[in-house]
Amino acid sequence: MKIGDKVRFLFDTGGGKIAAIKGNIVMVEDEDGFQIPTPINEVVVEAGQDSYSTANMVAAMQKAEKKSHAVKPDGRSMKAMLNEGMDDISVEEDDDDPAMKDMTFRKPVEERKGGNMLNAFLAFVPVDIKEVTNTQFETYLVNDSNYYLQYVYASAENNSWVVRAQGVLEPNTKEFIEEFTQREVNGLSRVSIQMTAFKKDKPYTLKQPVNIQIRIDQVKFYKLHVFTPNDFFEQPSLLYPIVEDDRVARSIDISADKMKEEMYRQDDGENAAVTRQEVRQGFENALVIDLHAENLLDNLGGMSSADILNYQLDHFRKVMKEHRHEKGKKIVFIHGKGEGVLRHALIHELNYRYKPCTYQDASFQEYGYGATQVTIK
């Protein structure tokens, strides 16, 4: 069997002329000029051609069967057998084959009763609640509603904002945002959350866009009792409301200067005078000093616990020296609860080095546990 021989198909009608031979495949060209790839053992040379008698045809077929690349009934599809030895022949794929298409089906979102009112929270979850002063924390956004929430979560950096996460929060789900250490809490002192609510593939009631700023109290991350049980996490967590029952939480990023400015805008009168006096005492006389090591030092590497404690005490003494002549001055030192080592050291200093001064636990409402207020005498 050679190029130019006329052949016919064994298992089908028709035939043609051999245009090419590639291994076990012959290209049979029909009357219209189309070349049909066909296994060599499925065609026979038409009678009357001198080079190939019936005996020669049978011998050629037997020889082809003995070749290592002969087509065998090994379970392969016809497409696989035709592709053997035809690397340079392109075979069109069936684009309409459903098995070749990507799966795009998604289960519809299940809505719950009462979920059409927006409820969303910013959550901080300690990795190890038993070691709250040393553990890492995870940040989550919680969507407790039937709406999708497109969100942007950012933190303040000087006078600018830096995006920490953005995306779409699916209905009735919570989404992990990031993990941070105690030392990185200072970078979260002020965060911003912007949200837009919508539903997919169904009518819905428009909701007001959410745009709030939250002041994160770093001291809380040292206190076990502020992490409470809730419906969203298996372990106690610290939750900040973003929106509750369609009511957007008030931004609590209000500085002392702004609060004082608002108070001074009141009308003149006896009550206003009292208010102004309280403002001066509350904001001008009260000095807040955070003695946490990560707030005082950029790098704690190579420092022992004793080195850190001495540095904190030196800072305490420096502040006391600067204000020693300001009688009546109130200074709040935030030292954290922890094991109480720093607090005991401060009390010792006050009892022996600064005897005229008085001290007491600072306001729990303002500073939580772990702060001492000193009054200069």
Side-chain angles (χ1 to χ4, degrees):
M1 190 176 297
K2 63 183 184 300
I3 295 175
D5 286 349
K6 292 183 178 180
V7 296
R8 59 182 178 82
F9 302 127
L10 281 177
F11 306 111
D12 199 356
T13 59
K17 182 174 61 176
I18 296 177
I21 300 176
K22 297 183 179 293
N24 299 321
I25 302 297
V26 293
M27 304 301 296
V28 181
E29 183 177 318
D30 62 12
E31 295 178 353
D32 297 323
F34 292 103
Q35 294 185 1
I36 304 171
T38 308
I40 195 170
N41 60 348
E42 293 187 10
V43 297
V44 294
V45 179
E46 291 186 357
Q49 298 190 66
D50 297 337
S51 300
Y52 283 84
S53 62
T54 301
N56 290 338
M57 179 191 70
V58 173
M61 291 178 63
Q62 291 176 342
K63 182 178 180 181
E65 288 290 343
K66 294 180 181 180
K67 289 185 178 181
S68 59
H69 297 290
V71 178
K72 300 178 181 179
D74 55 1
R76 293 179 298 166
S77 64
M78 177 59 71
K79 180 178 179 180
M81 289 189 290
L82 291 178
N83 283 338
E84 184 177 329
M86 296 177 62
D87 295 338
D88 57 339
I89 301 177
S90 61
V91 179
E92 293 184 0
E93 297 285 348
D94 185 2
D95 294 335
D96 295 328
D97 185 0
M100 302 300 292
K101 296 183 179 180
D102 295 333
M103 295 184 64
T104 58
F105 172 78
R106 296 191 66 181
K107 184 179 179 180
V109 173
E110 294 185 4
E111 297 191 347
R112 61 178 179 82
K113 186 177 180 180
N116 285 329
M117 297 188 75
L118 287 186
N119 285 278
F121 304 88
L122 174 65
F124 297 104
V125 184
V127 174
D128 185 357
I129 190 65
K130 296 180 181 179
E131 297 289 339
V132 69
T133 58
N134 297 313
T135 188
Q136 292 184 311
F137 297 87
E138 295 178 339
T139 304
Y140 287 86
L141 283 177
V142 179
N143 179 11
D144 189 26
S145 75
N146 294 335
Y147 282 76
Y148 287 86
L149 295 177
Q150 187 168 6
Y151 69 87
V152 175
Y153 175 62
S155 61
E157 188 173 290
N158 298 323
N159 295 324
S160 304
W161 292 91
V162 177
V163 173
R164 304 183 75 92
Q166 61 180 331
V168 176
L169 191 57
E170 295 190 350
N172 301 302
T173 59
K174 59 189 177 186
E175 183 170 312
F176 172 78
I177 300 299
E178 62 181 348
E179 184 174 282
F180 59 91
T181 64
Q182 286 276 17
R183 189 176 300 178
E184 296 170 320
V185 172
N186 290 331
L188 293 172
S189 60
R190 196 155 51 103
V191 299
S192 166
I193 301 170
Q194 298 171 307
M195 287 182 169
T196 304
F198 63 95
K199 289 188 179 183
K200 294 182 179 180
D201 304 323
K202 63 175 61 179
Y204 62 91
T205 302
L206 285 176
K207 303 291 184 179
Q208 290 293 330
V210 176
N211 184 7
I212 70 168
Q213 296 178 28
I214 300 176
R215 181 176 62 84
I216 306 298
D217 187 356
Q218 297 100 319
V219 177
K220 288 185 177 181
F221 289 85
Y222 293 88
K223 305 180 182 306
L224 181 62
H225 72 278
V226 303
F227 297 93
T228 58
N230 56 81
D231 296 331
F232 308 117
F233 301 92
E234 295 181 358
Q235 62 270 49
S237 311
L238 173 59
L239 297 181
Y240 285 89
I242 299 172
V243 53
E244 290 186 286
D245 294 335
D246 284 346
R247 293 190 297 271
V248 178
R250 290 185 59 188
S251 290
I252 57 176
D253 178 42
I254 302 177
S255 65
D257 291 337
K258 288 183 179 179
M259 186 179 294
K260 182 163 57 176
E261 181 182 347
E262 290 298 323
M263 289 182 173
Y264 276 126
R265 289 180 182 176
Q266 299 183 37
D267 295 334
D268 291 336
E270 183 178 352
N271 292 336
V274 173
T275 303
R276 287 195 294 271
Q277 184 179 4
E278 291 174 350
V279 168
R280 286 195 295 272
Q281 292 176 351
F283 292 103
E284 293 178 6
N285 289 343
L287 175 66
V288 181
I289 303 296
D290 190 347
L291 293 178
H292 284 109
E294 58 270 18
N295 186 60
L296 300 177
L297 297 164
D298 294 332
N299 188 356
L300 302 178
M303 297 184 68
S304 66
S305 298
D307 293 335
I308 295 173
L309 178 61
N310 287 329
Y311 190 92
Q312 292 170 313
L313 290 176
D314 286 342
H315 191 76
F316 164 78
R317 297 180 189 120
K318 178 182 177 182
V319 173
M320 292 295 294
K321 182 178 180 180
E322 290 176 353
H323 300 279
R324 66 184 182 278
H325 299 304
E326 302 178 35
K327 292 185 178 181
K329 180 76 173 181
K330 292 180 173 59
I331 307 175
V332 176
F333 291 98
I334 299 176
H335 44 69
K337 188 176 181 181
E339 298 178 358
V341 176
L342 179 57
R343 180 180 184 277
H344 288 307
L346 294 184
I347 300 302
H348 178 81
E349 289 281 320
L350 290 167
N351 287 335
Y352 291 94
R353 192 185 293 264
Y354 306 99
K355 289 183 178 180
C357 299
T358 60
Y359 62 89
Q360 65 186 62
D361 289 337
S363 169
F364 168 74
Q365 184 177 0
E366 290 290 331
Y367 308 104
Y369 296 115
T372 297
Q373 177 179 293
V374 177
T375 304
I376 305 296
K377 296 293 186 179

